[in-house]
Amino acid sequence: MSTSILKDPSLIEFLELTEEVRSLCHRVLSLPSSDATQQARDRRTAMTYLTRLRQLNRSAQLQSRAAKQTTAEAKQELDRAHLELQNLYYEHQHFLSEIAQCEDYAATYITLDLASEEDFLSSHPEQPSSDPHVLMLARIQAEGDERDRLEVLRKELIAKKAALVEENKKRKDEMEAWDAEMLKFIESAGPIKKTLMKY
């Protein structure tokens, strides 16, 4: 396996030692059984290599655990940042929705039949401000005052109408009573009329 893509020196050493142990094992297996001294020497070398491989393996496992821990911590931080970003996005969308609702809100004052600015200013020359907002508030206040005045007048007229209706009813009753009296008088005058007709 090519070690050109690896950057960690312990991994590079591990791969190189693995290759050497493999070569050594092939050499030990290919030696004639009569060369016991070389076999023993190669076995000791292989055992040394295997011990070093175990050390490197243990070191790699510890590094792997540390890398996993670091990765987990980084992932937690990334997840927290992502959650905050999502919250900001939803908050942003909520604000945009609220702004759209405010912009689409049909305020009551728009539908009011207010006096024009010219008419208002001519009837209220004391109005000090030409600020459109202050002027609109003053026009709305003047419209409210006028409607209150008209409401009081309407109630007075209703009361006056009720009084007139009551008086008319009383007079009608009186007239009906007079009509009844007149009919009685005419009926009672019938004999007098006959008597007078004789003369």
Side-chain angles (χ1 to χ4, degrees), residues 98-159:
E98 290 293 316
I99 289 169
Q101 286 179 3
C102 289
E103 288 174 346
D104 293 341
Y105 177 73
T108 307
Y109 80 91
I110 294 173
T111 60
L112 291 177
D113 188 21
L114 298 176
S116 67
E117 283 186 27
E118 296 79 20
D119 292 344
F120 174 76
L121 290 173
S122 65
S123 62
H124 296 83
E126 74 282 359
Q127 177 61 34
S129 178
S130 61
D131 177 19
H133 178 70
V134 174
L135 189 59
M136 178 58 76
L137 290 176
R139 287 173 62 203
I140 291 171
Q141 182 63 45
E143 181 68 22
D145 293 345
E146 181 64 16
R147 288 183 184 212
D148 290 343
R149 185 187 71 76
L150 290 174
E151 180 62 18
V152 168
L153 182 61
R154 185 184 73 83
K155 287 179 179 175
E156 287 173 359
L157 290 174
I158 287 173

Side-chain angles (χ1 to χ4, degrees), residues 55-141:
Q55 290 173 348
L56 290 172
N57 183 38
R58 177 75 179 145
S59 174
Q61 286 179 359
L62 291 174
Q63 286 178 354
S64 175
R65 283 184 194 151
K68 284 179 183 178
Q69 179 65 30
T70 304
T71 303
E73 290 169 0
K75 184 179 183 306
Q76 283 180 343
E77 183 62 26
L78 185 63
D79 289 345
R80 187 192 60 73
H82 183 263
L83 184 61
E84 283 182 13
L85 183 63
Q86 283 294 99
N87 288 342
L88 286 173
Y89 173 76
Y90 290 132
E91 193 172 339
H92 179 256
Q93 292 302 316
H94 174 71
F95 285 146
L96 289 179
S97 170
E98 290 293 316
I99 289 169
Q101 286 179 3
C102 289
E103 288 174 346
D104 293 341
Y105 177 73
T108 307
Y109 80 91
I110 294 173
T111 60
L112 291 177
D113 188 21
L114 298 176
S116 67
E117 283 186 27
E118 296 79 20
D119 292 344
F120 174 76
L121 290 173
S122 65
S123 62
H124 296 83
E126 74 282 359
Q127 177 61 34
S129 178
S130 61
D131 177 19
H133 178 70
V134 174
L135 189 59
M136 178 58 76
L137 290 176
R139 287 173 62 203
I140 291 171
Q141 182 63 45

